[in-house]
Structure formats: structure tokens, C-alpha cells
Amino acid sequence: MSATPSPEHVRVPTHLSATELHQALEELDAKIRTLQNRAHATTANSQHTYHEHIAALETKRAGLAAQLKDAPAAQTPPSDSDRSTWDEIWRGIENLRNDLRNII
């Protein structure tokens, strides 16, 4: 049986890169939304720990968000899709420039 951690005892990972922090925040947001939906779906006065679990996850999310704010910008190279998008934009600008030269 797993115990729900209280918000005061939640540990935030400290060795995550900016990319990993973004991913962790997205995953926590999804978990929080799921738990909120479950809490709303339960009947009144039922015994559940969704609210405590949500509070603990929100505390962890706040810690990760603070770390991300303080983290240096990641120096990751652009992906192939990013490069192809920028190449396509550059080609469009060059074509526009050539069209303008031909008009003038």
C-alpha cells in the first residue's frame, strides 16, 4: 500500500536539465488534472486522498518551476524539423527578395 506524501515532505529532483524540467512539469500537470477529475467524480463525504495527493504534486510542481526559472538556457542543437522549417522560411524570404528585384 502506498502512502500519499504530505506537501511538506515532497522532494524535488535537483539534477534535471531544462528539457527534463519541462517534461517533468508537463507530466505533473497531467497527473494533477487526472486527480482533480477523479476528485470531482467521487461522491460527497467519500474517503479519498485525492486532495492531499494533488497538494503534494502542486508543491513538487512549484519546486520544479522555480528550478526551471533559475536554470540556464539549454544549449541544445535545433532538431531536424526545426532546421527544415527555418530552411523553408529562408527559401521563402530569398524567393520574395528575388521577386522584388525582378519587379524593380
Side-chain angles (χ1 to χ4, degrees):
M1 176 188 249
S2 66
T4 302
S6 68
E8 298 82 28
H9 296 101
V10 172
R11 285 186 262 162
V12 178
T14 56
H15 304 332
L16 298 178
S17 69
T19 304
E20 291 168 330
L21 285 170
H22 280 293
Q23 182 180 358
L25 287 171
E26 289 173 9
E27 290 173 4
L28 281 173
D29 286 339
K31 286 180 184 179
I32 290 169
R33 277 192 303 275
T34 300
L35 288 171
Q36 287 171 339
N37 291 338
R38 286 182 184 171
H40 293 307
T42 57
T43 59
N45 300 323
S46 66
Q47 295 290 354
H48 60 78
T49 59
Y50 292 130
H51 297 293
E52 292 85 1
H53 199 167
I54 290 168
L57 289 177
E58 286 176 342
T59 301
K60 187 173 185 177
R61 189 196 184 293
L64 289 173
Q67 269 187 357
L68 182 61
K69 191 171 130 181
D70 297 337
Q75 297 296 330
T76 58
S79 67
D80 291 337
S81 64
D82 290 338
R83 262 188 247 121
S84 66
T85 302
W86 283 110
D87 290 340
E88 184 178 330
I89 291 170
W90 183 251
R91 280 191 299 273
I93 292 170
E94 287 298 315
N95 290 338
L96 182 60
R97 183 179 296 160
N98 290 332
D99 290 344
L100 287 172
R101 282 186 188 141
N102 293 337
I103 290 173
I104 298 175

